[in-house]
Amino acid sequence: MDSGMANAKNQDERPGDNRDRAAVPKSGFRMLGADFFNDTKMLEIDKGARELNIPISKANRKLVASQNGGLQNPSCLIFNPEWDSKETHSASKPFKYPTLPGVQKPSSDEDIAFMSVLELGQLIKTKQISSEELTGIFLKRLKRYNPVLESVVTFTAELAYKQAKEADNLLSQGVYLGPLHGIPYGLKDIVAVPQYKTTWGSKSFKDQVLDIEAWVYKRLRNAGAVLVAKLVSGSLAYDDIWFGGRTRNPWNIEEYSTGSSAGPASSTSAGLVPFAIGSETAGSMTYPAARCGVTALRPTFGTVGRTGVMSLSESLDKLGPFCRSAADCAIILDSIRGKDPDDLSSRNILFDDPFMVDITKLTVGYLDDADMEVVHVLQSKGVKVVPFELNYTVDSVQGILNYTMDVDMLAHFDEWQRAGMDDDYEAQDQWPLEVRRARVVTAVDYIQAQRARGKLIREIRESFKVDALIGNVTDWEKVCMGNLVGLPVVVVPTGFTKICDPPSNETRRKTTVTTGIYAPPDRDHIALALAMVYQSVTDHHKQRPPIDDLGPHDSIPNPPKLIIPPRQLR
């Protein structure tokens, strides 16, 4: 080797020169929490990433990430929340619904609109009302109140009347499909229905029509239900802000609904639909159900198939019903549960019949923040209730959820971010901010978060020594923990309080009060049974919001923008 070449080699290896070349990647390593490498190692990693990692990543993106929403190419990594290792293969038996003899058709459409699914089903079965007439009542209400509530994206009137006529024709031939036969309902607008827009609440996708028939829609159609509207989803399933406005709470029109299942909660609360299907990744059912004062079931993860539904996180997303009552939630669950062959996470869960549960054999714990009226009612009905505390040592529950959800979201909307579409997002402090941060979460840290999640699940399983728990349903720690573990919960309305700063003492606007009844995974029937018992002797769930008459000296305002914690509403 001549002296010139040797001098050049020595120059390349000088520590000072390495430091200069490592200055730029060093800032990147700092973002990744990996700035413990020395300069030589950083340069080695930088070279390896450019030569190996980036080409592999580009190839994978081209292969599976050219379309947004997570509808294609689902992950083969499957989360299973069940605590029992035994497999269940036998067919699920339908629930034995209570009969309601003597139900009579009310004289006013308003009274009809606030009847339960069971009651409406009885009216149709006994031919006191046709599905076509009932569909007309709810479409009229949707169109009347939507300008104020902003809860509807698309009216599906043509499809609804077609399905209603089919239901009426079947009944005239002696064919009755069950309690959902001819019953109108709404779908959160992340659920695909052919020939109708599925906007995901985002102006980036507001003209999107997906030629996909979502599994949950097929289940409801086969049960005879009638789709009357696609209801508001917050933009890309985050909060209540969407491309057409912001959905409001019927109980206090100055408030917004919160949570991305804003349309299903608001519409059900206002009597615009008898029930609706929403979704939750982290709070998107529990928050709007609590705010709007409706009963809702966030079921065990894997209970309801998600084919044809926009995905945020394949190990967190769940579909469930918003209803008038827990009994209605049980009926809807019975119709939409089961194994979706195209959703690898869905399962045939052999629930016991919630209408047949002997509650006197149950032990129910109540947490410090439980609604004590629920505790006392259940105790009076023979349930053993005990003070309880759910213990676990994992102190990073919110962080685990953020890592899981944000990284998964970015995987499903990688092209959206790369194309700069996040600049057009309706609320820049929400998804755009979170998924930009997610871009620098390492694969190692993501896997470590899933290992921490596994530890959390094991500790909850060991601590959950009762049949069910009663506790706050919107406490953010419980929302994160429950979704990570896959716990089912029923949101139960328990009363009302005065609104803050009322415009007059005579206002009829109210703040709803709710609690949650939690059960272990695959024990949704227990939470439903307990909620049904509570609602059998209370009427909070039957109250109607004052959207027609707010009271003296009160009128529908132009509500101010409310600042809501951004991480609590997906």
Side-chain angles (χ1 to χ4, degrees):
M1 181 185 297
D2 64 36
S3 60
M5 292 180 64
N7 288 337
K9 187 174 187 298
N10 290 336
Q11 285 285 335
D12 287 342
E13 291 180 349
R14 286 177 185 172
D17 190 54
N18 272 1
R19 284 196 294 271
D20 292 339
R21 289 190 293 139
V24 173
K26 185 175 293 185
S27 64
F29 278 89
R30 191 160 46 244
M31 281 193 299
L32 301 174
D35 51 350
F36 52 84
F37 292 113
N38 64 32
D39 292 350
T40 299
K41 290 178 180 177
M42 285 187 188
L43 290 172
E44 179 186 76
I45 295 168
D46 179 62
K47 181 174 182 291
R50 284 185 280 108
E51 293 179 353
L52 185 65
N53 297 16
I54 292 175
I56 292 172
S57 297
K58 285 183 176 179
N60 289 339
R61 284 197 299 271
K62 184 177 180 181
L63 191 65
V64 299
S66 60
Q67 294 176 287
N68 296 298
L71 295 175
Q72 299 83 17
N73 304 302
S75 170
C76 64
L77 304 177
I78 305 302
F79 169 59
N80 188 336
E82 63 181 335
W83 290 352
D84 296 324
S85 59
K86 61 178 183 291
E87 290 285 333
T88 55
H89 298 288
S90 56
S92 299
K93 296 180 180 179
F95 299 158
K96 296 179 180 179
Y97 313 123
T99 58
L100 299 176
V103 174
Q104 297 296 311
K105 177 184 174 183
S107 58
S108 75
D109 290 352
E110 171 85 8
D111 291 337
I112 291 173
F114 282 94
M115 295 181 80
S116 70
V117 167
L118 274 175
E119 291 169 334
L120 292 172
Q122 189 68 13
L123 292 185
I124 287 179
K125 185 177 182 180
T126 56
K127 300 183 179 181
Q128 296 181 59
I129 194 170
S130 68
S131 176
E132 191 171 358
E133 181 184 355
L134 192 62
T135 297
I137 290 172
F138 283 105
L139 279 169
K140 182 179 179 181
R141 287 182 65 83
L142 283 160
K143 292 176 180 178
R144 176 181 178 183
Y145 292 110
N146 187 56
V148 174
L149 295 178
E150 298 181 9
S151 62
V152 181
V153 179
T154 303
F155 297 97
T156 58
E158 183 178 354
L159 175 63
Y161 281 119
K162 177 184 177 182
Q163 292 180 338
K165 288 178 182 178
E166 290 173 353
D168 290 335
N169 288 338
L170 283 174
L171 195 60
S172 69
Q173 298 167 23
V175 177
Y176 181 65
L177 299 176
L180 296 187
H181 188 121
I183 303 296
Y185 75 101
L187 282 175
K188 183 176 179 178
D189 197 35
I190 62 170
V191 181
V193 177
Q195 301 179 22
Y196 286 92
K197 293 179 181 178
T198 302
T199 72
W200 301 341
S202 169
K203 61 185 176 183
S204 297
F205 303 98
K206 65 184 180 66
D207 297 318
Q208 173 178 255
V209 178
L210 298 171
D211 188 24
I212 302 171
E213 195 172 47
W215 191 83
V216 69
Y217 166 68
K218 287 193 287 188
R219 296 285 287 185
L220 290 167
R221 186 195 64 202
N222 292 340
V226 174
L227 179 65
V228 291
K230 300 291 289 298
L231 303 175
V232 164
S233 167
S235 184
L236 303 185
Y238 193 139
D239 200 5
D240 50 25
I241 300 171
W242 60 293
F243 67 84
R246 194 169 188 184
T247 304
R248 301 186 191 178
N249 171 19
W251 278 103
N252 182 6
I253 209 67
E254 191 175 29
E255 283 187 325
Y256 298 108
S257 300
T258 84
S260 70
S261 296
S266 179
S267 297
T268 305
S269 173
L272 312 189
V273 289
F275 75 94
I277 300 298
S279 70
E280 171 155 327
T281 308
S284 275
M285 290 191 69
T286 52
Y287 275 93
R291 175 67 63 87
C292 296
V294 295
T295 307
L297 169 66
R298 183 190 76 202
T300 297
F301 177 86
T303 301
V304 183
R306 302 166 301 179
T307 298
V309 180
M310 191 203 88
S311 178
L312 291 183
S313 173
E314 291 173 37
S315 71
L316 289 170
D317 297 338
K318 297 161 289 293
L319 298 171
F322 290 83
C323 298
R324 304 253 177 275
S325 67
D328 284 357
C329 285
I331 292 167
I332 309 308
L333 177 69
D334 198 23
S335 296
I336 63 177
R337 65 190 171 116
K339 175 63 180 175
D340 172 358
D342 296 318
D343 179 357
L344 300 179
S345 296
S346 67
R347 298 178 292 131
N348 279 318
I349 301 174
L350 296 183
F351 294 121
D352 288 339
D353 189 334
F355 297 102
M356 304 297 289
V357 172
D358 183 355
I359 62 166
T360 63
K361 295 182 179 180
L362 300 178
T363 300
V364 176
Y366 60 93
L367 306 179
D368 290 342
D369 54 10
D371 189 303
M372 294 308 294
E373 182 188 64
V374 179
V375 174
H376 295 147
V377 167
L378 294 180
Q379 190 172 38
S380 72
K381 290 293 184 177
V383 177
K384 181 181 179 182
V385 294
V386 295
F388 195 77
E389 184 175 351
L390 195 60
N391 295 311
Y392 52 90
T393 64
V394 176
D395 60 1
S396 58
V397 172
Q398 298 181 34
I400 296 169
L401 184 131
N402 290 336
Y403 261 31
T404 303
M405 178 173 56
D406 294 354
V407 171
D408 290 358
M409 162 66 178
L410 182 54
H412 295 148
F413 285 89
D414 191 9
E415 178 63 22
W416 172 80
Q417 187 186 71
R418 290 180 180 277
M421 297 168 73
D422 58 335
D423 290 336
D424 296 326
Y425 188 78
E426 286 72 8
Q428 284 297 304
D429 61 342
Q430 295 181 357
W431 275 135
L433 185 64
E434 294 201 28
V435 296
R436 287 167 195 156
R437 289 196 296 263
R439 182 66 67 177
V440 295
V441 175
T442 68
V444 171
D445 290 325
Y446 180 85
I447 294 298
Q448 300 296 31
Q450 302 319 304
R451 296 177 71 198
R453 183 181 183 181
K455 181 177 178 61
L456 173 69
I457 292 170
R458 290 189 295 273
E459 291 184 347
I460 294 295
R461 180 180 61 201
E462 292 166 3
S463 178
F464 211 120
K465 299 299 185 183
V466 289
D467 294 300
L469 291 174
I470 304 170
N472 187 301
V473 78
T474 57
D475 173 71
W476 185 227
E477 176 78 6
K478 291 186 184 65
V479 169
C480 293
M481 178 276 295
N483 279 288
L484 287 170
V485 176
L487 300 181
V489 63
V490 179
V491 182
V492 183
T494 59
F496 305 90
T497 60
K498 292 183 178 180
I499 64 171
C500 297
D501 301 320
S504 72
N505 291 330
E506 294 84 14
T507 184
R508 295 187 175 92
R509 288 190 278 148
K510 298 176 182 178
T511 295
T512 58
V513 180
T514 55
T515 200
I517 301 179
Y518 299 80
D522 300 357
R523 299 292 182 269
D524 305 46
H525 60 284
I526 292 177
L528 286 167
L530 293 167
M532 285 190 284
V533 167
Y534 171 73
Q535 291 183 337
S536 70
V537 295
T538 59
D539 63 359
H540 306 301
H541 62 291
K542 296 181 179 180
Q543 302 306 306
R544 305 178 188 179
I547 50 178
D548 275 315
D549 184 4
L550 302 183
H553 312 296
D554 195 359
S555 60
I556 295 175
N558 182 20
K561 182 177 180 180
L562 300 183
I563 305 299
I564 300 170
R567 290 188 176 274
Q568 302 184 3
L569 306 167
R570 283 128 337 156

